[in-house]
Amino acid sequence: MSPLRIGFVAGLAVVLFLGARAIHWYPAEEVMTMWVWGSPEEAELYHKISAEYRQMHPGVRLRLEVLPGRNIVQKLLTGMDAGHAPDICVLHWRTMAQVASTGQLLALDELVKRDGIDTGDYYPVGLQGYSYHGTLYGLPVKGSTITCFYNKDLFDRYGVSYPTDDWTLDDLLEKARKLTVDVDEDGLPDIYGCTPYDIASYVWSMGGDFLRVENGRYVSNLDDPRVAQAVQYYVDLYYKHKVSPPRPGVRTDNAMSTFTFEAGRIAIGIMGPWMLPTFQMLDRFEWDAALFPRGPGGRQTRYASVGFTIWKGTRDPDRAWDVLKHMVSAETTTKMAGLGSDLPPQRSVAQTAYPKAETPWEEEVFVRSMDFNVRLFPQEVWWEDLYRKMQDELDAALTGRESVETAVAEAHKVTNAYLKRIYAEEQAL
């Protein structure tokens, strides 16, 4: 080797050595990892909040990773099984049972009690959503329930009164019929009265339920006449009264693409505050929000939320818990409320941080909606699979292939057979 090459290599070695000394090499176990998912705005906020924690605790190596929400559960379960999971992870409440049932989430009850977390300030349904068989495994960072949006311009144009807090499912139908309009008189509606979202809130508000408990076990409650009444009401919106737009399929909350609330072709959209970031950009018509209408069983609506959980295998559970507390603190959820999507999980924060005086719509509606009977599906690992099978049968009515009576009876039969098999398998273990 020439003297010049030898000198170059020696110099490069010195540079690399000095550079390596300047780098802080940390073992993998000293880096705390947190997985999150959400909109770009939420991801940016998570980055800012985690950066604040690092500034307050400069000795903590906290790495935040943003993952697609669709596959985060499978990746999490795979990582847990392999012993290489994130210390902290954001989960949707409907995936909690699937993950918690593996026994690989850290129980938080004693930590919450030890540190004096004011659980009384949380909406109870939010804590229920992150509990599994009586044990708390997570804390929500945001959550909300079903409400509705309405097009004020259409209401004014056709002389229909706005929804009030005491409006009912009968009122919804009456208004939707008046607001379903064939503008060009070609025999087809150009404006539809409503899009009803999914069926759960109607079943509950009619006073029914999907399951009931007998002798300590779940059985189908689809033989309750109130369930058939709710399904019939829902189906009639499409096929009898024709106040809801044709659906391209089933199990979708979206109407055909040409009939959307944003396009001004739907008068009443049953949705939730997660649509605010989209609807706040509308400038072609005025709109506002209202509570979901009451039924014979009161106002009972479905809850949805995301929250933070801790892997039981974390090497530093106390530090992971400290990070989690920071990510769901009142200061953090106040900032999350600024995005204008779901509500903070703490009642005090929701009441003070979420409503905004400068907006023309009434954010208070979304806060008040949480004071009614906001519900969860059963927190059982088998529920999501059973609900899909249940809907497979109900879809026959929702698409007009079978009568409601026939579809509900078949769903009842399938549900009981499924539950009987589940309990037999559990007993055999």
Side-chain angles (χ1 to χ4, degrees):
M1 184 180 294
S2 67
L4 181 61
R5 183 176 296 272
I6 292 174
F8 173 77
V9 171
L12 179 60
V14 171
V15 170
L16 291 175
F17 174 73
L18 293 175
R21 291 186 62 189
I23 297 174
H24 297 284
W25 298 98
Y26 296 97
E29 59 267 22
E30 293 187 15
V31 177
M32 182 153 290
T33 304
M34 177 164 55
W35 284 2
V36 300
W37 58 274
S39 68
E41 294 77 15
E42 288 172 335
E44 181 181 359
L45 182 56
Y46 284 139
H47 274 295
K48 290 180 179 178
I49 296 168
S50 61
E52 290 173 357
Y53 186 87
R54 288 193 295 269
Q55 291 173 358
M56 292 187 292
H57 305 85
V60 176
R61 311 301 159 184
L62 177 62
R63 180 174 66 240
L64 183 141
E65 299 178 7
V66 180
L67 278 71
R70 287 184 178 274
N71 61 6
I72 195 169
V73 171
Q74 190 57 48
K75 289 178 67 70
L76 177 63
L77 292 175
T78 300
M80 286 176 168
D81 289 340
H84 299 289
D87 301 272
I88 306 154
C89 185
V90 168
L91 291 176
H92 191 277
W93 81 266
R94 288 183 72 168
T95 65
M96 275 297 299
Q98 181 184 2
V99 181
S101 65
T102 67
Q104 299 191 86
L105 290 180
L106 184 69
L108 304 183
D109 298 273
E110 291 302 320
L111 294 171
V112 166
K113 183 178 180 180
R114 182 195 72 187
D115 292 357
I117 302 297
D118 185 8
T119 55
D121 191 34
Y122 277 78
Y123 291 110
V125 69
L127 298 181
Q128 293 166 15
Y130 288 88
S131 300
Y132 179 71
H133 290 188
T135 298
L136 183 69
Y137 290 104
L139 288 176
V141 67
K142 63 174 186 173
S144 60
T145 190
I146 306 299
T147 51
C148 82
F149 294 86
Y150 63 96
N151 185 320
K152 296 176 70 174
D153 286 8
L154 292 178
F155 274 73
D156 293 343
R157 185 184 308 166
Y158 297 106
V160 180
S161 61
Y162 298 153
T164 58
D165 280 4
D166 61 350
W167 76 318
T168 66
L169 289 173
D170 289 340
D171 294 329
L172 169 62
L173 176 57
E174 179 185 358
K175 295 179 188 300
R177 293 176 75 170
K178 293 178 180 178
L179 291 163
T180 299
V181 185
D182 178 6
V183 177
D184 57 13
E185 299 183 348
D186 66 350
L188 298 173
D190 300 287
I191 298 168
Y192 280 95
C194 71
T195 49
Y197 204 67
D198 71 14
I199 201 168
S201 297
Y202 299 86
V203 169
W204 293 330
S205 293
M206 284 291 186
D209 207 342
F210 298 100
L211 304 178
R212 63 177 180 265
V213 177
E214 291 183 358
N215 299 319
R217 291 185 173 185
Y218 284 109
V219 298
S220 173
N221 193 60
L222 299 180
D223 57 346
D224 184 338
R226 294 172 295 185
V227 174
Q229 181 184 5
V231 177
Q232 190 68 64
Y233 176 94
Y234 191 91
V235 168
D236 285 350
L237 294 176
Y238 290 98
Y239 297 104
K240 179 180 179 180
H241 307 297
K242 299 182 179 179
V243 297
S244 296
R247 300 172 78 182
V250 292
R251 289 205 219 129
T252 173
D253 302 323
N254 299 317
M256 295 178 68
S257 59
T258 55
F259 294 106
T260 64
F261 187 82
E262 300 95 307
R265 303 187 70 179
I266 299 294
I268 304 169
I270 306 295
M271 292 170 270
W274 56 85
M275 295 303 301
L276 279 173
T278 298
F279 291 168
Q280 68 183 0
M281 307 302 293
L282 295 177
D283 57 5
R284 58 192 301 173
F285 60 85
E286 289 189 30
W287 57 268
D288 210 334
L291 297 172
F292 184 85
R294 291 186 295 107
R299 180 177 288 113
Q300 302 194 48
T301 53
R302 181 160 65 83
Y303 182 66
S305 68
V306 296
F308 284 86
T309 61
I310 298 174
W311 178 35
K312 193 175 182 180
T314 178
R315 293 179 176 86
D316 193 346
D318 284 334
R319 177 60 64 186
W321 167 241
D322 197 56
V323 173
L324 185 151
K325 287 192 298 181
H326 177 76
M327 299 303 293
V328 301
S329 67
E331 293 77 14
T332 293
T333 56
T334 296
K335 295 174 183 176
M336 187 69 71
L339 298 180
S341 182
D342 292 310
L343 273 68
Q346 303 98 333
R347 184 178 278 104
S348 62
V349 181
Q351 292 172 345
T352 57
Y354 196 78
K356 298 176 179 61
E358 66 272 17
T359 60
W361 54 86
E362 188 183 358
E363 285 98 351
E364 290 86 350
V365 164
F366 305 110
V367 179
R368 287 189 285 115
S369 68
M370 292 296 295
D371 290 329
F372 295 93
N373 193 352
V374 182
R375 301 186 53 170
L376 299 170
F377 293 130
Q379 281 288 52
E380 299 290 345
V381 67
W382 42 258
W383 168 254
E384 293 298 326
D385 185 46
L386 173 57
Y387 194 51
R388 283 191 293 269
K389 294 181 184 299
M390 194 184 297
Q391 285 194 313
D392 282 341
E393 305 305 328
L394 295 180
D395 283 348
L398 299 180
T399 55
R401 301 194 310 271
E402 292 181 354
S403 69
V404 168
E405 181 182 7
T406 300
V408 172
E410 189 62 27
H412 175 63
K413 178 181 175 182
V414 167
T415 299
N416 270 334
Y418 183 96
L419 291 168
K420 183 177 180 180
R421 177 176 61 81
I422 287 295
Y423 286 120
E425 291 175 353
E426 289 181 356
Q427 190 172 3
L429 292 178

